[in-house]
Amino acid sequence: MLFRCLIISIFILLQNPALFAQQTENPSDTTLLKDLRQYPRRNALPVRRPVIFPETVRLPEPEALELSINYWRSWTSFGANINQASFSDNWGSGGVNSLALGGQASYKTDYTKGDKNFVSDFLLQYGKLKNKDQLSRKTADRIFWDNKVALKLSKSWYFFGSLNFESQFDRGFSYAKNAQGNETRTLLSRFMAPGYLTESIGFEYKPVKYFFLRIGTGTARQTFMIDTNLYKTNPKNFGVKPGKGFRNELAFQVVAAIDKDIATNLNLKSRYTMFANYEKLKSIDNRLDVSLTARVNRWINVSLAGIALYDDDTADKVQTSQALSLGLVYKFPR
């Protein structure tokens, strides 16, 4: 019976070959996916690329844009410091009550356009110290104003002309004690006694922004003494003849200055001046100002400043001054 059923099935397949072909010729899923990936064919549709026609656009003249360039740069700073000490009457190590106050203001402006340059540097300093049972003393007293115009000759050389003014605010004294042990003072100087006005022309070497060297081949300095009786207590009278109020000198001058941040929040500023009177070349005036300023934070600075000065019209030996201060400083622009 089973054999008969198998024979019948083979006979039916032989009589219907289409049914067998339909089963065997049906494509597999992989073949179908392959055929589907062939459509659509790449670049089957033509693509028309656009044609670009550049057109020149004319901008308005600079005057029409109302643009302006500021060739001026300015820096301003104000500072104040205070130092106070007090001791009880039975303080075993000894000491004296004291109070010191000081202030400083500076302004600098710079104008540079093409080959032309103008710089103005203005500085005011004043400080006072008072110890118990002693007369008050000055710790700082200076008015300084320096102006320079220059014309660029090459990459680092300029032809310059400068005008410089220097004096002080308050009276200056020397101090001593009399036979009774009381403190006395002798007047040495005051405002515009002396006062200095210096004009100079020459060449300036400025290879970098923070350093310059001026060589003033033609320099004149006027010394003013508005107190014509000062020679009675100060015999040298700052080189001015006794009883006179004016002196003029022709000289060769060298000025070198540096103002540079040598480390993070640490600035070094120094200025050296040499003044050689053509009539007294054996006696040359020299002055060196150096200050080192450390910025503690936005408002507080610590500064160490020193001055070394030799001027035989004031003293026979080198004069020195040193000051260490902690104070508040405000600068703008920040």
Side-chain angles (χ1 to χ4, degrees), residues 143 164-168 189-198 221-227 230 237-238 240 245-247 249:
I143 303 173
N164 179 285
F165 172 77
E166 186 169 2
S167 187
Q168 62 191 47
S189 61
R190 63 194 317 165
F191 175 72
M192 290 300 292
Y196 299 101
L197 186 65
T198 306
R221 182 173 73 180
Q222 295 80 45
T223 303
F224 299 92
M225 294 292 294
I226 61 172
D227 187 346
L230 194 63
N237 206 39
F238 301 98
V240 180
F246 176 81
R247 178 192 182 189
E249 300 174 86

Side-chain angles (χ1 to χ4, degrees), residues 103-105 122-128 138 140-144 165-172 189-194 226:
Q104 175 177 307
F122 188 54
L123 175 64
L124 302 175
Q125 291 177 309
Y126 188 75
K128 204 81 168 179
K138 292 192 299 183
D141 189 5
R142 192 184 190 196
I143 303 173
F144 177 81
F165 172 77
E166 186 169 2
S167 187
Q168 62 191 47
F169 290 100
D170 201 2
R171 294 177 298 171
S189 61
R190 63 194 317 165
F191 175 72
M192 290 300 292
I226 61 172

Side-chain angles (χ1 to χ4, degrees), residues 265-267 291-297 299-305 323-329:
N265 295 332
L266 186 61
N267 176 265
S291 65
L292 190 64
T293 303
R295 181 179 177 183
V296 179
N297 57 34
W299 299 100
I300 300 176
N301 283 358
V302 178
S303 64
L304 176 63
L324 175 65
S325 62
L326 170 67
L328 300 177
V329 176

